[in-house]
Amino acid sequence: MSAPREQPEDALVVEGIVKEFRVHRTVFRAVDDVSFRIPAGTTFGLVGESGSGKSTIARCALRLIVPTAGRSLIAGRDPATLRGRALRDLRAQTGMVFQNPMAALNPRMRIRDIIAEPLVTHSRLGVRQIRARVDELLDEVGLSATHGDRLPHQISGGQCQRAGVARAIATEPALVVLDEPTSALDVSVQAQVLNLLQGLKRDRSLSYLLISHDLDVVRYMSDTAGVMRRGELVESGPADVVLTHPSHEYTRQLLAAMPSTPGVASTMRGHDERSILL
Ligand SMILES: Nc1ncnc2c1ncn2[C@@H]1O[C@H](COP(=O)(O)OP(=O)(O)OP(=O)(O)O)[C@@H](O)[C@H]1O
Ligand SMILES: [Mg+2]
């Protein structure tokens, strides 16, 4: 696959990324020369069987881990070339939402402190300004101030994921990675969290890299999509083409085997994005 051309309006460009892990004495190639781009304000849905390298490519793209080869450009800048303050500033332009919200949040920290953490690390705001910003963020994701005072185990899974979303957008990133953001949640709650994500994308011109096992979730959320198989991106393009009329036999088989939750897509538009009834 030829490398995508860099364009200023791309939120993320991934170019020829390879990631090898050394396991005992062998080298395992988890990501094998993957390239794609996410135009600003759009969602790229990534699907593929378990172990195909989806999370690894996302972690390489944000440079949470160092790729063996290749590079990524976040809003046009390569994190590998930055150090110190400049690297921290670029990190602040990205956010990440994980699969299991309870496990992703520090169990001993209050929700409001969890949301405040990236602001403490990345912003120059004072204590009062951070407190005010956290109140705004709680409101924006449909949580109340009292939810903010609780610990993760004292709120529901859906509310935990809302807190995870608030934390991911706290520094006003342009790009957010959503790694299975709703698969640990009940179906009714999934729709509400997806609606929240769609609303935030619209209001804040966010770009998403969405990893999901659920075909209906990817179809509903994505503008473009890609299919991973054993570390390679075997197909990518407009989401409706890739996910509905795939050209590769592998994609057809994968899609046929992927779980789907039609109820999620059909109930999504009807929900109030800021509902706190979870
Ligand atoms: N730190 C590591 N050391 C060794 N191998 C790893 C490491 N991280 C991931 N792998 C391996 O790399 C491959 C890709 O893993 P990855 O987590 O990216 O898959 P995935 O597509 O996200 O799967 P899932 O859908 O189950 O989350 C897997 O075979 C995994 O075991
Ligand atoms: Mg994964």
Side-chain angles (χ1 to χ4, degrees):
M1 188 173 290
S2 64
R5 267 187 311 134
E6 177 186 335
Q7 293 182 12
E9 69 271 24
D10 286 333
L12 177 70
V13 177
V14 166
E15 270 181 9
I17 284 199
V18 174
K19 180 64 188 179
E20 291 176 343
F21 292 111
R22 202 166 287 277
V23 185
H24 304 298
R25 275 184 211 154
T26 57
V27 171
F28 172 71
R29 188 169 276 221
V31 174
D32 191 1
D33 194 14
V34 169
S35 302
F36 61 84
R37 49 183 284 261
I38 307 180
T42 71
T43 298
F44 181 75
L46 198 54
V47 300
E49 60 198 352
S50 182
S52 58
K54 305 180 299 293
S55 297
T56 304
I57 187 72
R59 283 155 67 213
C60 287
L62 298 193
R63 214 172 166 83
L64 301 175
I65 55 173
V66 178
T68 308
R71 65 170 190 164
S72 62
L73 298 169
I74 299 164
R77 286 187 295 162
D78 179 356
T81 63
L82 303 176
R83 298 279 176 275
R85 172 105 224 155
L87 181 60
R88 282 202 298 281
D89 286 350
L90 188 61
R91 284 256 157 80
Q93 285 184 34
T94 64
M96 192 145 181
V97 175
F98 300 95
Q99 173 169 359
N100 188 334
M102 292 276 183
L105 307 182
N106 185 332
R108 284 180 292 275
M109 276 171 78
R110 289 185 312 160
I111 295 297
R112 67 169 55 251
D113 296 326
I114 290 170
I115 297 171
E117 209 176 32
L119 293 169
V120 173
T121 310
H122 293 294
S123 79
R124 292 174 190 181
L125 299 178
V127 175
R128 275 194 184 182
Q129 289 166 305
I130 288 180
R131 197 180 164 84
R133 181 85 188 98
V134 169
D135 283 334
E136 279 171 22
L137 285 161
L138 284 166
D139 184 57
E140 200 166 352
V141 300
L143 294 174
S144 68
T146 51
H147 291 127
D149 294 329
R150 297 189 197 158
L151 298 169
H153 75 268
Q154 293 171 328
I155 59 177
S156 72
Q159 288 164 344
C160 261
Q161 197 56 306
R162 286 172 186 263
V165 171
R167 183 189 154 87
I169 63 167
T171 56
E172 309 207 353
L175 172 73
V176 179
V177 173
L178 309 167
D179 194 347
E180 301 279 359
T182 56
S183 40
L185 305 176
D186 289 347
V187 172
S188 61
V189 179
Q190 283 184 24
Q192 295 178 16
V193 170
L194 292 170
N195 259 341
L196 169 68
L197 291 167
Q198 286 292 68
L200 291 171
K201 180 190 167 199
R202 200 176 48 234
D203 296 347
R204 294 163 160 264
S205 312
L206 289 174
S207 311
Y208 289 142
L209 169 53
L210 168 70
I211 297 168
S212 177
H213 277 107
D214 191 305
L215 194 50
D216 280 292
V217 169
V218 192
R219 275 200 186 120
Y220 175 67
M221 298 279 289
S222 308
D223 301 289
T224 54
V227 180
M228 298 272 299
R229 180 197 193 188
R230 292 189 206 145
E232 289 182 48
L233 190 68
V234 291
E235 182 160 1
S236 66
D240 51 348
V241 176
V242 173
L243 302 173
T244 311
H245 307 289
S247 50
H248 290 247
E249 180 54 31
Y250 173 73
T251 308
R252 275 194 281 276
Q253 286 171 13
L254 177 80
L255 299 185
M258 270 173 83
S260 100
T261 319
V264 167
S266 59
T267 52
M268 264 189 283
R269 291 167 198 89
H271 276 285
D272 175 359
E273 282 150 17
R274 290 169 195 229
S275 166
I276 56 167
L277 302 172
L278 301 190

